[in-house]
Amino acid sequence: MALAPHRLVWMNLWLDAPAEQDTALTREIAAVLAPFGRVTVISRGPYRRTPELLSYDVELVPSSSTTDCLRALGLSPDEDGDWPAWERTGADTFLHPAVRGAQVGEEEAATPPPFENGDVVTVLDSPAAREEGLVGAQAVVHNSFYLPDEPDPLLRRWYHQVMPEGRETLEPFESTDLRPTGLRTAVTHVPDPVHTAYAGPPA
């Protein structure tokens, strides 16, 4: 099977290290991942729930499929095909000896998600929108996902969880049921419903 045009492996990492090592650790993590593809490592500083840990966001565009990349990094999917979080136990390591915990996920599809977190969209007329009374409502995109039961990345369709104006719950819609407004807003992170399995290291 040909590689999908859109491939992304993402990671949230928590490292047990002092703040003065932050710059060096950013470089070291990037160096470890560079052989697997194009990598970006962003330091987020001390983790808010556990300040003695440093947190990092990683985006890796692998040169292989996302599954092959994650397996090559020493990870294995669970029976549902999701990638469980990694948490250090004993002397085992992941990427770097300082990594205490990691949350990982992947995207592989014909195209990137058409909307990003924070995009303001208009909900178009559809059976789901009519059922929820949301036709014409504005909503904020909180995450993007595809259904896990489609094994061919080139056939996957993007869905988005959105928070309609005036509501405090997320509603799922296919991307074709949403129209961009050109507006954006800040959003509080909401875990991806398909790939997220780990909320971070213990407080």
Side-chain angles (χ1 to χ4, degrees):
M1 185 181 296
L3 290 175
H6 173 67
R7 303 185 306 283
L8 176 66
V9 169
W10 59 263
M11 304 180 191
N12 304 130
L13 304 176
W14 293 271
L15 275 65
D16 194 356
E20 54 265 27
Q21 294 183 15
D22 182 63
T23 300
L25 288 169
T26 301
R27 290 197 300 263
E28 290 169 20
I29 295 295
V32 170
L33 292 170
F36 296 92
R38 188 172 72 250
V39 61
T40 302
V41 180
I42 300 173
S43 168
R44 298 299 185 190
Y47 181 51
R48 57 181 176 78
R49 286 172 52 191
T50 314
E52 62 269 24
L53 300 179
L54 301 178
S55 60
Y56 298 83
D57 291 343
V58 175
E59 290 192 350
L60 171 64
V61 180
S63 52
S64 63
S65 72
T66 55
T67 297
D68 287 348
C69 177
L70 286 167
R71 287 186 182 277
L73 291 170
L75 302 174
S76 298
D78 61 22
E79 59 184 15
D80 296 322
D82 294 327
W83 298 94
W86 182 90
E87 191 165 3
R88 187 173 65 205
T89 57
D92 59 334
T93 61
F94 176 65
L95 300 182
H96 190 283
V99 174
R100 167 93 65 89
Q103 182 181 21
V104 303
E106 50 85 24
E107 295 177 2
E108 192 164 11
T111 62
F115 300 108
E116 298 180 358
N117 293 2
D119 283 349
V120 179
V121 296
T122 299
V123 180
L124 301 178
D125 189 3
S126 69
R130 290 195 295 272
E131 182 177 347
E132 295 294 330
L134 292 173
V135 177
Q138 287 200 346
V140 178
V141 174
H142 278 249
N143 53 45
S144 306
F145 65 99
Y146 46 75
L147 301 180
D149 57 357
E150 176 49 74
D152 186 346
L154 299 180
L155 299 180
R156 290 171 179 160
R157 297 183 299 177
W158 285 106
Y159 294 79
H160 307 275
Q161 291 228 31
V162 304
M163 184 171 291
E165 187 175 12
R167 300 196 184 185
E168 296 184 356
T169 58
L170 294 174
E171 301 291 343
F173 285 98
E174 191 170 350
S175 62
T176 53
D177 292 332
L178 304 171
R179 184 177 64 223
T181 65
L183 303 175
R184 285 186 54 78
T185 188
V187 298
T188 301
H189 176 68
V190 175
D192 183 313
V194 175
H195 304 298
T196 293
Y198 188 54

